[in-house]
Amino acid sequence: SDVCSSDLYPVPSRDEFFITLGNDIASDDISTIEIFALSGQRVLSINGFQNRINIAGMAAGVYTLVINTSAGAMQQKLIIN
């Protein structure tokens, strides 16, 4: 189960997407935000929390967004078109 709640929008995304955090997680608790291709290759890594993520130039497809926190990691599917 998720260690905390978050949501990302819009779905699908094109040039950027936004992350909203649930009340159970503080932005200070987030160490890194990573995006992985289905192959497992990490295509983006951001230190700390940003609510706006620029994905302009990334290939269309399905990715995994991983938010690493002090309580563990949570994953969400990210669709880029």
Side-chain angles (χ1 to χ4, degrees):
S1 65
D2 287 350
V3 294
C4 49
S5 59
S6 71
D7 195 21
L8 63 91
Y9 64 93
V11 178
S13 304
R14 176 168 273 156
D15 293 326
E16 64 185 8
F17 67 91
F18 299 87
I19 301 172
T20 55
L21 297 176
N23 294 330
D24 51 350
I25 182 75
S27 58
D28 290 350
D29 293 334
I30 295 174
S31 55
T32 57
I33 297 172
E34 297 173 308
I35 298 176
F36 292 88
L38 287 181
S39 64
Q41 176 187 7
R42 187 174 66 191
V43 295
L44 185 68
S45 181
I46 296 168
N47 288 320
F49 177 69
Q50 294 180 15
N51 69 328
R52 177 186 172 275
I53 310 292
N54 183 344
I55 52 172
M58 285 178 58
V62 178
Y63 296 82
T64 301
L65 174 74
V66 179
I67 300 176
N68 295 297
T69 76
S70 52
M74 57 181 170
Q75 298 186 5
Q76 284 189 269
K77 184 160 71 171
L78 169 66
I79 300 170
I80 299 175
N81 70 358

